[in-house]
Amino acid sequence: MALAYEKYLQEVLIDEATLQSRIAQLGAQINLDYAGCSDLLLLCVLKGGVMFLSDLSRHIHVPHVIDFMAASSYGTGARTSTGSVRIDMDMRMDVKDKHVLVVEDIIDSGYTLAFVLKTLRNREPASLKLCALLNKQSRREVDIVVDYIGFDIENKFVFGYGLDLDERFRNLRFVAVAKTDALADE
Ligand code: IMP
Ligand code: MG
């Protein structure tokens, strides 16, 4: 029987083994960069960052806490971002004087992250860095410094491993490119 996601699948872009080995590398780099740090806070941007956070966090041996924030852009369709971003759910912890590492699934236009970073910066963390699993550099509309990038990808709509196709298929163990005709159909 065909699995539900298969009709939307153009191709598997990043398979599970490739994802996991790159995430282990990112974790190793973060361990070096934050060695000795006693107040590291990983901030996951929901919902897309959740799979990445849970795998990345288990490679980080520097003691750390985790927290979550949900942000969304509004004004256009679900698959494109605009300059209007809001915080749907704020984090619980205080970031003041903490070393904050934001963990995000994908950076597209950059509007969401620009807003999240500005919000956090106003709260005076000791440092603020950004780790994104996927980066669509060609789509960028606002300048953002990304300290850790898992994979640079082309401008294609992807889903799986935290990323959704109309809220579904976040549970897939790989990142897939969606068929453009399947997207247009709905
Ligand atoms: P930005 O504000 O344009 O950078 O958009 C970032 C957000 O849009 C991400 O956090 C995702 O939630 C969503 N997004 C952007 N591109 C994709 C994609 O290819 N698949 C799924 N979600 C995406
Ligand atoms: Mg996201």
Side-chain angles (χ1 to χ4, degrees):
M1 201 186 85
L3 294 167
Y5 69 83
E6 284 176 358
K7 74 178 217 199
Y8 304 102
L9 180 74
Q10 174 89 49
E11 58 168 331
V12 173
L13 185 65
I14 310 169
D15 64 27
E16 183 179 5
T18 309
L19 273 174
Q20 292 302 330
S21 82
R22 181 71 187 124
I23 293 167
Q25 285 177 349
L26 290 171
Q29 186 62 49
I30 290 165
N31 286 329
L32 288 176
D33 294 351
Y34 288 89
C37 176
S38 58
D39 38 25
L40 174 60
L41 189 160
L42 300 187
L43 177 61
C44 174
V45 184
L46 293 172
K47 303 173 192 170
V50 74
M51 302 291 167
F52 181 38
L53 171 89
S54 70
D55 285 335
L56 180 67
S57 164
R58 286 177 284 181
H59 287 288
I60 298 179
H61 308 306
V62 177
H64 61 276
V65 297
I66 61 176
D67 204 351
F68 301 88
M69 185 186 266
S72 61
S73 54
Y74 53 98
T76 55
R79 298 192 189 102
T80 49
S81 192
T82 64
S84 318
V85 179
R86 69 176 163 228
I87 305 290
D88 295 321
M89 188 196 87
D90 206 344
M91 61 193 297
R92 300 281 286 275
M93 290 169 168
D94 186 1
V95 302
K96 190 161 163 49
D97 302 326
K98 301 265 169 41
H99 292 277
V100 178
L101 179 59
V102 176
V103 177
E104 171 68 303
D105 54 350
I106 187 166
I107 311 181
D108 191 47
S109 69
Y111 284 126
T112 306
L113 250 299
F115 185 81
V116 168
L117 292 174
K118 191 179 92 187
T119 303
L120 292 171
R121 213 170 275 122
N122 287 337
R123 299 177 185 176
E124 302 177 2
S127 69
L128 183 59
K129 285 193 182 188
L130 174 59
C131 178
L133 180 66
L134 306 173
N135 183 41
K136 286 186 193 168
Q137 191 63 44
S138 67
R139 294 264 302 166
R140 198 72 92 256
E141 290 177 34
V142 279
D143 261 347
I144 288 190
V145 177
V146 194
D147 302 278
Y148 305 94
I149 293 176
F151 302 87
D152 280 297
I153 63 169
E154 284 176 44
N155 177 22
K156 289 179 177 161
F157 195 84
V158 291
F159 68 102
Y161 198 72
L163 295 118
D164 69 304
L165 196 57
D166 297 332
E167 290 297 329
R168 293 180 295 166
F169 311 128
R170 295 187 193 272
N171 58 321
L172 300 179
R173 292 175 186 270
F174 50 83
V175 173
V177 176
K179 274 185 189 161
T180 42
D181 53 340
L183 292 174
D185 279 354
E186 293 179 14

